Amino acid sequence: MNPLDYVVPHFEVIRNFDRCTNCRACERQCANDAHFFDPKTQTMQCDDSKCVNCQRCVCTCPTHALKIVENDASFRRNANWSGEAITEIYKQASSGGVLLSSMGNPTSNPVYWDRLLINASQVTNPSIDPLREPMETRVFLGKKPSETVRNPDGTLNTDLPPQLELETPVMFSAMSYGSISYNAHESLARASRELGVFYNTGEGGLHEDFYKYGANTIVQVASGRFGVHEDYLNVGAAIEIKMGQGAKPGIGGHLPGAKIVGDVSRTRMIPEGSDAISPAPHHDVYSIEDLRQLVFSLKEATRYQKPIIVKVAAVHNIAAIASGVARSGADIIALDGYRGGTGAAPTRIRDNVGIPIELALAAVDKRLRDEGIRNNVSIVVGGSIRNSADVVKAIALGADACYIGTAALLALGCRLCRTCSSGKCNWGIATQRPELVKRLNPDIGCKRLVNLLTAWRREIMELMGGMGINSIEALRGNRLMLRGVNLNEKELEILGVLHAGE
Amino acid sequence: MVIDAKNKQFNELNRDIWLSNTEGKIVNCLGQRFIAAGLKDKSIEIEGTPGNALGAYLNGASIFVNGNAQDAVGDTMNEGTIVIHGNVGDAAGYAMRGGEIYVAGNAGYRVGIHMKEYKEKKPVIVIGGRVGSFLGEYLAGGRIVVLGTNRDDKPLVGSFPCAGMHGGKIFLYGDISAIIFPSHVHTKVATTTDWKEIEPYVTRFCEFFGFDKNRFIPDNFTVVTPDGANPYKQLYVAN
């Protein structure tokens, strides 16, 4: 190899030879072929350059002989040129390629959730113990009537536009079959049914085996329209039009032909080996009026039985965009922040395009309220919701519910090694290789997702109870329940919250 | 069953169509959108001008329009037939996966954009006249035939055809020397095999609109195909 092309391995696999029994489990578990047995020395060895730090070998080693550490071999310290920045130059100079990354933006920009603090009742009003008192976490997503309508006989007209009913204000965000495995989809689908929430097909169509989970499925329509047909539209509980994604606003997707095999080809309804290209825009949507047309074409095709979600990435003018979407006939707006996950996105776009979801959400909620159209739509936010406190803060900032993607994958075993696009996920999540997919047992996957959201729901109830609030409805947009720390005046203004101490 | 579309909103009109018998006729149609969206098993004749997204997600029904149609005819259509005795607007057959669209006259921009095929499903669009710019963008499958029966000295195809084309075939009739194609597509004179592929559709076109099939000489067709199986690649480097 040309020394110019050599990149110092990112990780170092450290083996405790006192514990290693040469059982070769690590070798069998590693789809990256990092481990191998050296017959000369009769020991297990490792090619560090192949290690992605997915921790599979660490977790499966029967004697716990392995650990993976960041390689401390470094360039000369430079506050401007980080090791990563230097290595990226080498990669591009050597390949001429666009840098491609997986999972959400890992940069150290502020996480506003961590600068918001939640209120609690003391003395002047009672907190509520969720163990002994009813606590409502159920939400309905969809257009709400702005006035009371009575029938001619004086009774209340209770006809509502279609709503999604969630037992917990958290849903699994769009991840396509193709980007994640059959077993991952099955885990999400079954968990959604058990939890009374929804998962989202992403833009890759819906596998025929999962039609039975339709009542807990959101089907997505993206610019490539893969797998979109009448049955698909009708089987879902709601239809999501994907206009954009937080990890890569403004660009489309490209699942290479090599990954369009077997079931993935069937589900996307394109031939095996054919590239699945999702163009950046929908070529029939160049304006809010056009969006309205797409929304109503879907409503007509599904007889007005399904709420229509429009998913947009959080970008600079998001408040104005959301105002347009709220007038387009959409029932729900999904906002995806710049930290949102992805199977693959150009690094530069992922790390530099879009805005934080916290600011976008606050701006959108305020704008829709100011314009008197907040009840036209529900707001769902994603793009890094990491725990139940993030959910509570999001709702207090004005969201109706949250989408989680990365958190759900972590529950399934993901170690955030960020190499999804290689298709060699050792945890059976972001891969289509049968021998890897079977490592994810959908029974266990489903159980872990149910555990996660059950725990979050309990925490949400405790946080709400502490505030003296017994219903999610009373928390939504209740920004008095939040205070800011480490925020400047402009940030506080946009978030619409007071500083701690005020 | 005759449905009078006069003063009807699109949703009222579509509701009438859902409730109608298997064969229906719409009269006084004036720009109502989404007519027959997702419709499976009916045959509808339309007098007048249907609005945008005629036959969107169409799933087996037949639509005959005695007049012009507007934008997005047969958007994401899965199965069925749409016959237009006039011109159509932009984005006809967007993301269409199956079925057939026949247009007697001209078509606007982006005909057959991102049309695809899957197994037995091979969508077909036959345009009798000229087409606008961006013909067959991102084309992933299916067949587009442009016959140029009314070229009136204007070009058969507008600017920038076939950008991002990575599957399917486009058949153009007559002189194509003025058309500038991108480098990733390939053009050649149609062979007998190529002609056999579209002959049934050209025949149907002639039946629908009263053309003499013999006016179309197989050798005068040019076939446009993408170069290679996956021509639309961008080189990435894992980071």
Side-chain angles (χ1 to χ4, degrees), chain A residues 143-148 372 375-376:
Chain A
K143 200 184 293 290
K144 303 295 186 298
S146 47
E147 56 188 17
T148 311
N375 279 343
N376 276 13

Side-chain angles (χ1 to χ4, degrees), chain B residues 112-214:
Chain B
I113 179 170
H114 216 305
M115 192 161 98
K116 44 184 81 76
E117 64 187 49
Y118 176 63
K119 289 193 174 161
E120 74 286 357
K121 287 195 183 301
K122 280 207 173 137
V124 178
I125 301 177
V126 186
I127 307 289
R130 294 177 270 107
V131 298
S133 299
F134 315 111
L135 167 71
E137 261 185 334
Y138 299 101
L139 194 71
R143 308 283 173 266
I144 301 175
V145 184
V146 186
L147 295 171
T149 56
N150 57 345
R151 289 185 66 168
D152 46 23
D153 294 331
K154 291 186 179 146
L156 182 68
V157 174
S159 309
F160 312 111
C162 310
M165 177 172 173
H166 56 290
K169 284 184 184 176
I170 299 177
F171 293 78
L172 305 172
Y173 191 75
D175 180 21
I176 59 148
S177 55
I179 305 171
I180 302 166
F181 292 99
S183 58
H184 64 267
V185 301
H186 181 80
T187 57
K188 61 159 193 172
V189 175
T191 62
T192 319
T193 326
D194 294 325
W195 165 247
K196 286 269 173 274
E197 233 178 89
I198 57 163
E199 191 183 0
Y201 307 109
V202 174
T203 308
R204 289 195 80 186
F205 173 87
C206 292
E207 286 165 10
F208 283 132
F209 304 123
F211 283 92
D212 176 10
K213 191 183 142 195
N214 294 322

Side-chain angles (χ1 to χ4, degrees), chain A residues 324-391:
Chain A
V325 174
R327 295 164 197 277
S328 73
D331 301 279
I332 301 165
I333 302 179
L335 300 170
D336 199 13
Y338 83 139
R339 284 190 188 276
T342 175
T347 311
R348 293 291 168 256
I349 291 192
R350 182 194 65 173
D351 295 353
N352 296 285
V353 180
I355 63 170
I357 188 60
E358 303 89 331
L359 302 177
L361 164 61
V364 166
D365 180 63
K366 178 171 190 308
R367 178 71 169 257
L368 299 188
R369 281 172 197 274
D370 286 352
E371 295 183 357
I373 53 173
R374 179 64 183 82
N375 279 343
N376 276 13
V377 285
S378 291
I379 299 176
V380 179
V381 297
S384 212
I385 301 291
R386 302 157 303 168
N387 53 51
S388 61
D390 289 356
V391 175

Side-chain angles (χ1 to χ4, degrees), chain A residues 8-9 56 76 82-83 88 95 114 147 164 200 205 241 254 283 344 352 368 391 443:
Chain A
V8 176
R56 180 76 189 180
R76 180 161 185 185
S82 66
E88 284 169 353
S95 68
D114 296 340
E147 56 188 17
L164 286 182
N200 188 314
I241 298 171
H254 181 182
H283 283 284
N352 296 285
L368 299 188
V391 175
D443 292 338

